[in-house]
Amino acid sequence: MHILNVATVIFACLLATGSAEQAHAGQSRLWSAYDSVLSNAKYIDLTHTIEPAMPIWRGFGNITFSQAVSKLTGKPFAYNKDLFVANAYQLTTDQMGTQLDAPAHFNPYFAASDEIPATFALRKLVVIDVSNKVAANSSYAASVDDVLEWEAKHGRIPQRSVVFVRSDWSKTWPSVDTDVFPQVLLETVQFLHLQRRILFHGHEPLDTDMTSDFASERWLLTRGYAQAEGVTNLHMVPPTGCLLSTGFPKFLGGTGNYVRFVAVCPPDWPQGILPGSTPEAPLPKYKNALVWNSQKGHRSRS
C-alpha cells in the first residue's frame, strides 16, 4: 500500500493555496490544509487511560479516585441535588501512565511542565520497530544500529521530529513487568539528539533503561531534553509518514505531564479513525449511566 506523507501533502496544499489567496481573501492556508488532508487523515490514540490500578514505578504510591465533595454540605455532588457530579483525584506523582518528562524531573535549572513550549503540539513522527528483538530478549536495548537500519529503509530522520521506539511491551498492559523491560541505550538517545537533532524520543515502558543510575534518562533530562514514556499502540502506526499531536496540562512547577499522544496518519493507512466517523458533537449517549462504583474505586458504566 502506498502511504502518503502527511507533512508533505500539507506543504503541497499550502503552496497550492498560496496562488489562490486573492480569490479566497482571508482564507487560512492552515484551514485549507485541514480540509484537504487532516479532515481525511486517520487518528490513532497512543495513550493509556489513567486509572487507580494502573502500573506505576515501584517507588511511587498508587493513585486513588473519589467523588468530589461539596465544601458547603460535606457530601458528594449529586445530579438530583446539585445538577452535576465531579471527581477528585489523589495523585501521588506526576510521573505515571503515558507521560512527557520535563527536564526539571532531574535538573531544577531546566524546564518544568508549565515551561514546555506550545510548539511541542505537532511534529513529524518516526517509529523505530525493535519488537522482534524484544520478543527474543525482554530487556533488549535499542541501539544506534537500530536507528541506522531504520534510516537505510526510510531515509534520514527529520530534524526536530519525534522518535518513538516500538517494543510491543504495552500490548499486555496493565499486566506488564515494570522491573524487566525493553530499554533505549544511552548512546542511542545521544545519537538521536546530538546527530539527528530530534525534539524528543519516547518508548513504551515507564523507564528508559534498567541501570541503577537511570543513565539514559538522566543524560537526557539533565541536559534539557524532554522524553516520553508509557506510549502505547505503536504497532498500529507506520514507521514514517505520520504526525504526532501532543496535548498536556500545565502543572505549575511540574516535573512530568500526563499527556495525550495522537498519531495523525495518511488517509490510506488502514488503522485509526476518521473525523466524523464516530459521534463527536454531540458525543454519544450510552445505554448505561456513569455511576460511582465503590468496589472499583471510580465511576463506571457497569
Side-chain angles (χ1 to χ4, degrees), residues 65-67 291-300 302:
F65 292 8
S66 61
Q67 300 179 81
V291 298
W292 180 257
N293 187 314
S294 58
Q295 291 183 331
K296 294 182 178 180
H298 60 82
R299 297 186 191 275
S300 69
S302 60

Side-chain angles (χ1 to χ4, degrees), residues 230-276:
V231 184
T232 190
N233 289 335
L234 291 178
H235 63 285
M236 299 174 64
V237 182
T240 186
C242 297
L243 302 176
L244 181 71
S245 168
T246 301
F248 50 86
K250 292 177 66 177
F251 286 106
L252 181 63
T255 63
N257 282 306
Y258 309 122
V259 69
R260 184 75 178 265
F261 288 128
V262 177
V264 184
C265 297
D268 57 349
W269 182 246
Q271 303 286 352
I273 60 174
L274 287 165

Side-chain angles (χ1 to χ4, degrees), residues 31-288:
W31 282 17
S32 297
Y34 178 84
D35 291 338
S36 300
V37 182
L38 298 180
S39 65
N40 297 307
K42 297 290 186 64
Y43 292 73
I44 303 171
D45 197 345
L46 308 182
T47 315
H48 291 295
T49 299
I50 298 175
E51 53 186 303
M54 70 190 305
I56 197 168
W57 184 67
R58 61 185 178 276
F60 296 132
N62 292 328
I63 65 172
T64 57
F65 292 8
S66 61
Q67 300 179 81
V69 173
S70 169
K71 68 177 184 179
L72 301 177
T73 66
K75 296 180 180 180
F77 293 101
Y79 292 114
N80 60 350
K81 294 181 180 179
D82 305 290
L83 304 181
F84 68 90
V85 298
N87 289 339
Y89 305 98
Q90 182 179 357
L91 305 175
T92 58
T93 177
D94 54 10
Q95 299 284 328
M96 65 181 179
T98 305
Q99 59 194 264
L100 183 66
D101 281 346
H105 184 32
F106 272 61
N107 189 328
Y109 293 99
F110 280 112
S113 299
D114 58 304
E115 296 168 326
I116 292 176
T119 54
F120 273 52
L122 190 65
R123 294 299 172 110
K124 295 177 182 179
L125 176 62
V126 165
V127 177
I128 297 177
D129 184 2
V130 296
S131 60
N132 288 338
K133 297 175 182 178
V134 172
N137 176 8
S138 60
S139 61
Y140 178 79
S143 67
V144 173
D145 284 343
D146 292 317
V147 177
L148 295 177
E149 286 177 15
W150 187 96
E151 290 189 327
K153 295 178 181 178
H154 305 289
R156 190 180 179 92
I157 291 174
Q159 289 189 20
R160 297 181 294 279
S161 62
V162 173
V163 176
F164 281 167
V165 178
R166 174 188 166 186
S167 62
D168 288 352
W169 178 86
S170 64
K171 278 189 173 183
T172 60
W173 184 277
S175 300
V176 293
D177 190 338
T178 57
D179 293 319
V180 179
F181 51 83
Q183 307 169 84
V184 183
L185 289 174
L186 172 58
E187 64 185 37
T188 307
V189 297
Q190 291 173 330
F191 180 83
L192 288 171
H193 281 283
L194 300 179
Q195 300 299 320
R196 296 300 180 258
R197 305 292 180 183
I198 68 168
L199 180 66
F200 65 87
H201 98 285
H203 44 266
E204 298 179 40
L206 303 179
D207 277 307
T208 319
D209 63 59
M210 294 166 50
T211 61
S212 59
D213 60 351
F214 310 104
S216 296
E217 182 172 8
R218 181 167 50 84
W219 184 89
L220 287 166
L221 301 183
T222 57
R223 285 162 176 78
Y225 300 115
Q227 70 161 3
E229 297 184 312
V231 184
T232 190
N233 289 335
L234 291 178
H235 63 285
M236 299 174 64
V237 182
T240 186
C242 297
L243 302 176
L244 181 71
S245 168
T246 301
F248 50 86
K250 292 177 66 177
F251 286 106
L252 181 63
T255 63
N257 282 306
Y258 309 122
V259 69
R260 184 75 178 265
F261 288 128
V262 177
V264 184
C265 297
D268 57 349
W269 182 246
Q271 303 286 352
I273 60 174
L274 287 165
S277 62
T278 59
E280 296 175 333
L283 291 162
K285 185 176 183 179
Y286 294 89
K287 180 179 179 180
N288 297 324

